[in-house]
Amino acid sequence: MKKLSSIFCMACAMNSSWLLANQWELEQRVEPRYPIEAAKSSQEGCVNVQFFVNSDGVPTYLEVLKSLPKGTFDKAAIKALEQWRYSPTETNTDRVPERMKVSLSFALSPNPDFVYECDAVLTSESENMASFRKSRLSTPIVASDSVVKKQSLERIFTVLTDAEKEHFVKSYSRLELKKGGSNKGDSPISAIDGLTYHQIIRLAGEQSSEIDSLSAKGNDKSMQPSSEQLPIMSFPEFLATWNIEDLSMGMESELFKQISYRQLKTEVLINSDGSAQLLSTCRDVSKEMQAALESQIADWEISSKVQSPEAGRFIYLVPSPKEPGAYVDCDDAWNDKHQQSM
């Protein structure tokens, strides 16, 4: 069996093709493992996957565009691609994320009797990683039937972290149960129809009457999310969306001493016009520290790299002279709410 497995992997390598990136070069390639059930039944096929290479050179937001036979080799392809690593080209000095696609073929011999074609084009979405995610999370879910609902949810799952997925599943499951319990005549599928990711997260704790009201207005663009509903950007996503001209953090030395040993994280709101404001600190701070942070962050100079940027939040570790043994000290509840950090 070990010998047979090595033949399968070798076959995958010889029958794989990939689209080389303009900004990134493939540095580490891991071949997919041939699914044992497919091997037993002599099934061959292919998978075409789109994804972003993030600023660390890691494939993320992986999504199958086309596969033959459908679903047979999807998991094996995704699992292998998650382990690929890229290095930036000489021209990509800023390590700008890039969207690309890869086609992997699964064959049991170097010259298979039948050649599967999985050619596919990238979806018509933003080439900017941060904008891509924001668009997915702000698009209303279509849940008119179970098949369409599953497709809508999968589009959202693609851009979520594992922790975000878990929270999201709990939230929409709660809405469906609440809707089903309050209105017996409605199908639970319709509970999240027309709602966006952010609306579902917020409504999970609301009353069912408010769910009905928001469901009817799911496509109403006049409904602007509160700051709590806006996504928390990773710092690479922040850099991909905004040009940093000045993020200075100047304050009196006595204030710096307050955070030189117990390092401080803050939650910052970046508005669509590039203005910034302090939303919260990860633990209680003095009035003087609060005022200094608010003043400094309000003076930041930021300009957009993309057209029509959306507002978002990110977690900012306040820079300060570090004492020996310095550590980041945040309240547990705050850390549970804010998973990503600078």
Side-chain angles (χ1 to χ4, degrees):
M1 180 57 70
K2 290 184 177 180
K3 183 177 181 181
L4 188 59
S5 298
S6 65
I7 292 175
F8 294 158
C9 292
M10 189 166 60
C12 292
M14 287 187 289
N15 288 278
S16 299
S17 62
W18 62 91
L19 180 68
L20 293 178
N22 295 320
Q23 301 291 334
W24 297 86
E25 296 177 336
L26 186 61
E27 185 177 76
Q28 173 184 311
R29 176 188 173 92
V30 175
E31 298 299 340
R33 300 185 64 178
Y34 217 100
I36 188 63
E37 293 303 320
K40 287 179 179 180
S41 58
S42 299
Q43 278 191 302
E44 298 179 328
C46 58
V47 183
N48 195 307
V49 181
Q50 74 171 5
F51 57 92
F52 276 90
V53 174
N54 67 18
S55 58
D56 294 323
V58 178
T60 189
Y61 300 172
L62 293 95
E63 184 174 36
V64 174
L65 294 174
K66 183 179 180 180
S67 62
L68 295 171
K70 189 173 182 179
T72 301
F73 300 102
D74 293 16
K75 290 184 179 179
I78 294 293
K79 188 172 183 178
L81 289 171
E82 286 176 338
Q83 301 175 71
W84 287 22
R85 294 295 180 265
Y86 288 80
S87 58
T89 60
E90 293 182 359
T91 59
N92 190 13
T93 55
D94 293 332
R95 305 180 71 89
V96 177
E98 184 176 11
R99 190 158 71 117
M100 63 182 74
K101 62 176 181 175
V102 167
S103 182
L104 296 176
S105 295
F106 291 77
L108 299 176
S109 66
N111 300 300
D113 295 332
F114 185 84
V115 178
Y116 284 91
E117 292 293 340
C118 281
D119 289 340
V121 297
L122 294 171
T123 56
S124 301
E125 297 176 85
S126 176
E127 298 299 313
N128 176 273
M129 187 173 169
S131 297
F132 182 95
R133 171 185 157 99
K134 290 178 182 178
S135 177
R136 289 281 177 107
L137 299 185
S138 62
T139 299
I141 293 169
V142 178
S144 54
D145 61 63
S146 59
V147 175
V148 176
K149 172 190 170 186
K150 181 179 179 182
Q151 293 172 344
S152 284
L153 292 177
E154 286 177 345
R155 285 175 56 81
I156 292 176
F157 288 150
T158 296
V159 299
L160 298 180
T161 64
D162 289 342
E164 288 172 331
K165 288 178 186 177
E166 182 179 357
H167 184 206
F168 181 50
V169 169
K170 289 180 179 178
S171 296
Y172 76 68
S173 296
R174 189 176 299 127
L175 294 191
E176 291 181 340
L177 288 173
K178 190 176 293 185
K179 181 65 177 283
S182 63
N183 195 340
K184 302 294 184 180
D186 287 345
S187 166
I189 294 177
S190 66
I192 61 174
D193 188 43
L195 298 178
T196 68
Y197 165 84
H198 300 298
Q199 289 171 339
I200 288 174
I201 295 299
R202 182 167 69 87
L203 285 173
E206 302 290 352
Q207 297 299 317
S208 59
S209 59
E210 295 181 60
I211 297 173
D212 294 337
S213 175
L214 266 273
S215 294
K217 300 178 181 179
N219 292 315
D220 187 354
K221 294 184 179 180
S222 66
M223 296 176 60
Q224 298 297 325
S226 63
S227 60
E228 291 80 8
Q229 293 175 265
L230 295 173
I232 296 180
M233 298 180 288
S234 65
F235 200 63
E237 288 174 325
F238 173 73
L239 292 176
T241 307
W242 301 98
N243 285 309
I244 299 175
E245 297 169 22
D246 182 12
L247 290 188
S248 61
M249 187 57 66
M251 60 179 73
E252 296 179 4
S253 58
E254 290 301 315
L255 290 179
F256 270 127
K257 288 181 180 179
Q258 295 181 19
I259 57 174
S260 61
Y261 185 68
R262 298 173 61 205
Q263 300 283 290
L264 178 69
K265 285 185 178 181
T266 60
E267 177 189 14
V268 178
L269 169 66
I270 306 298
N271 295 301
S272 57
D273 61 359
S275 60
Q277 67 185 83
L278 176 70
L279 292 179
S280 67
T281 55
C282 75
R283 67 171 184 274
D284 291 337
V285 296
S286 66
K287 292 182 179 180
E288 294 76 13
M289 175 66 73
Q290 181 80 16
L293 292 172
E294 290 176 348
S295 175
Q296 290 296 308
I297 291 173
D299 288 340
W300 283 0
E301 295 181 11
I302 305 171
S303 60
S304 174
K305 290 183 178 179
V306 301
Q307 292 184 348
S308 304
E310 297 182 15
R313 299 174 292 160
F314 78 103
I315 307 305
Y316 180 71
L317 177 63
V318 182
S320 66
K322 292 184 180 180
E323 295 181 9
Y327 68 104
V328 176
D329 183 23
C330 291
D331 294 337
D332 290 341
W334 195 90
N335 278 325
D336 289 341
K337 180 182 176 183
H338 303 82
Q339 295 294 324
Q340 301 182 42
S341 62
M342 178 177 168

